Amino acid sequence: MKLCWLDIRNANGAKEAIVEEALHQRVDAIVASDPADLEALPPTVKKVLFPKNLPLPEKLEPADLVIVEPDRHGEPAALALQYPDVEFGRYVEIVDADTLEDACRSARHERWSLLYFRDPTKIPLEIVLAAAAGADGSIITQVADVEEGEIVFGVLEHGSDGVMLAPRRVGEATELKAAAVTKAADLSLVELEVTGIRRVGMGERACVDTCSNFGLDEGILVGSHSTGMILCCSETHPLPYMPTRPFRVNAGALHSYTLSANGRTNYLSELVSGGRVLAVDANGKSRVITVGRVKIETRPLLAIDAVSPSGVKVNLIVQDDWHVRVLGPGASVLNVTELTEGTKVLGYLPVEQRHVGYPIEEFCIEK
């Protein structure tokens, strides 16, 4: 989980509502320029004082952390000697090569570095993150909106340790907190036993092309019912007659469910360029990846029926072709046309029913 700082210095009339939402969402820090705005905050949130373009107040309490402009306030190390009960961090606005080098030094040596990159390019942030590799401090990047925050979280894969956002409306704290989740929850996969395969005629199947390469043991979970899915293999492994396409999963019929971000399901027919889908490996480790395109074409279809050890019936309808594969125990790669009764495949059994893709506890029968 990345750090989320909410800047209320210019919140004006919306300040109370934004703080209430921020506390409810358990943001990591509230940033203010006046110590009085920090007094009523509970101990569950870090109180950050950031007197940008202002003199340092005589009394810093109740701030836990003070972000300073060294040219105006003094160096953090010297201030820490003067105020031993308060942490200090450095603010750097990156506008040129000299300030970029200043940001790199801060990231390497300071406990806290709050950085503002004036230009929209993310190259300077990449340089700072590379320069700070292995350092113990935390880098907080000031962002303009939630969308930029999500991008900053992923720069150089590691991303900034956190972001500071000045919300323009109630709701952005919730959105930022959701964007800060950098890792999808791992899943508990089960071994399903194939009970039969059958040809079911023609229909539309979807190939999901993503903006990421899959690992050798990765794919996406697909199923006809929301209560059970099978791990469909990517086209990462060599195939006769065609090149590998490690970004693609020949996933299944267009009606099928697949898992996306935040535990939601989508029909394969709903996936679009720029959407999200969950990549899952044979151990259940998952990550959210971006959809590049979805190819829906008419093909002969094959239905795979399987059952879990607990008796849950699972169905998957895929293109009837030897090149389409699913993953079995130990990340074994299984051609769907060669599955037989008793073959073991990897799957996942969500426990909730679904309403417009969201998990919900209600009575529902799928067959």
Side-chain angles (χ1 to χ4, degrees):
M1 181 74 75
K2 297 292 188 178
L3 298 175
C4 296
W5 288 15
L6 265 291
D7 181 4
I8 62 169
R9 289 175 300 152
N10 298 303
N12 299 323
K15 184 182 299 181
E16 184 176 340
I18 288 172
V19 169
E20 183 177 353
E21 180 196 11
L23 296 177
H24 179 72
Q25 291 298 327
R26 297 185 178 275
V27 301
D28 300 282
I30 299 292
V31 181
S33 56
D34 185 346
D37 288 329
L38 303 173
E39 288 179 353
L41 297 178
T44 53
V45 64
K46 182 181 284 292
K47 305 172 186 67
V48 179
L49 183 65
F50 181 29
K52 185 174 184 289
N53 297 326
L54 297 171
L56 201 64
E58 291 185 11
K59 293 185 178 181
L60 304 181
E61 295 82 1
D64 303 311
L65 169 64
V66 180
I67 302 295
V68 297
E69 301 172 280
D71 291 343
R72 182 184 300 273
H73 303 122
E75 288 292 333
L79 290 166
L81 296 175
Q82 186 178 350
Y83 301 93
D85 296 329
V86 181
E87 280 190 294
F88 286 88
R90 178 189 293 264
Y91 171 75
V92 183
E93 183 174 344
I94 296 89
V95 298
D96 53 25
D98 290 339
T99 51
L100 176 59
E101 180 56 33
D102 191 19
C104 291
R105 283 194 301 269
S106 179
R108 286 194 295 265
H109 302 295
E110 300 290 352
R111 176 66 186 87
W112 295 96
S113 297
L114 176 60
L115 308 181
Y116 172 59
F117 297 87
R118 183 182 295 177
D119 296 321
T121 174
K122 295 298 180 284
I123 299 299
L125 176 57
E126 293 180 6
I127 293 171
V128 173
L129 293 176
D136 294 330
S138 295
I139 299 169
I140 307 297
T141 303
Q142 185 175 343
V143 297
D145 50 39
V146 173
E147 185 177 19
E148 185 184 7
E150 190 170 6
I151 293 170
V152 167
F153 286 143
V155 169
L156 286 189
E157 296 189 12
H158 169 72
S160 182
D161 297 297
V163 301
M164 182 180 78
L165 171 70
R168 292 167 292 187
R169 58 176 173 79
V170 173
E172 287 192 321
T174 301
E175 295 168 6
L176 183 66
K177 192 70 175 179
V181 179
T182 58
K183 178 177 178 294
D186 292 342
L187 304 177
S188 296
L189 301 184
V190 298
E191 292 186 12
L192 306 173
E193 183 175 330
V194 174
T195 57
I197 62 172
R198 50 200 164 91
R199 291 186 169 90
V200 291
M202 302 294 290
E204 281 69 57
R205 68 93 176 98
C207 277
V208 181
D209 293 346
T210 73
C211 298
S212 300
N213 281 331
F214 288 89
L216 294 175
D217 63 344
E218 273 189 316
I220 66 175
L221 288 159
V222 186
S224 294
H225 308 134
S226 63
T227 51
M229 303 176 187
I230 292 175
L231 188 53
C232 292
C233 185
S234 68
E235 295 184 6
T236 305
H237 302 269
L239 292 163
Y241 313 117
M242 58 188 299
T244 59
R245 294 183 174 90
F247 53 83
R248 169 177 292 177
V249 177
N250 191 326
L254 80 171
H255 75 283
S256 307
Y257 283 113
T258 188
L259 285 181
S260 57
N262 302 319
R264 187 181 180 184
T265 57
N266 285 103
Y267 297 118
L268 292 179
S269 61
E270 292 178 333
L271 298 179
V272 295
S273 297
R276 301 296 180 89
V277 70
L278 206 64
V280 183
D281 71 14
N283 295 313
K285 184 177 180 181
S286 62
R287 59 190 176 109
V288 179
I289 58 176
T290 301
V291 176
R293 77 173 70 83
V294 179
K295 289 180 60 182
I296 298 176
E297 300 164 309
T298 301
R299 295 290 187 269
L301 300 177
L302 184 73
I304 304 167
D305 296 308
V307 64
S308 74
S310 61
V312 176
K313 294 182 179 179
V314 178
N315 175 265
L316 169 64
I317 296 179
V318 296
Q319 180 179 345
D320 183 2
D321 193 284
W322 185 78
H323 292 101
V324 181
R325 296 169 295 188
V326 295
L327 288 169
S332 55
V333 180
L334 308 172
N335 303 314
V336 294
T337 55
E338 296 181 349
L339 296 175
T340 59
E341 187 172 335
T343 302
K344 298 293 180 66
V345 297
L346 292 177
Y348 175 62
L349 306 176
V351 295
E352 308 93 345
Q353 297 295 339
R354 302 279 160 165
H355 181 64
V356 292
Y358 291 101
I360 184 173
E361 292 185 7
E362 67 171 358
F363 175 77
C364 179
I365 296 175
E366 294 180 293
K367 60 181 181 178

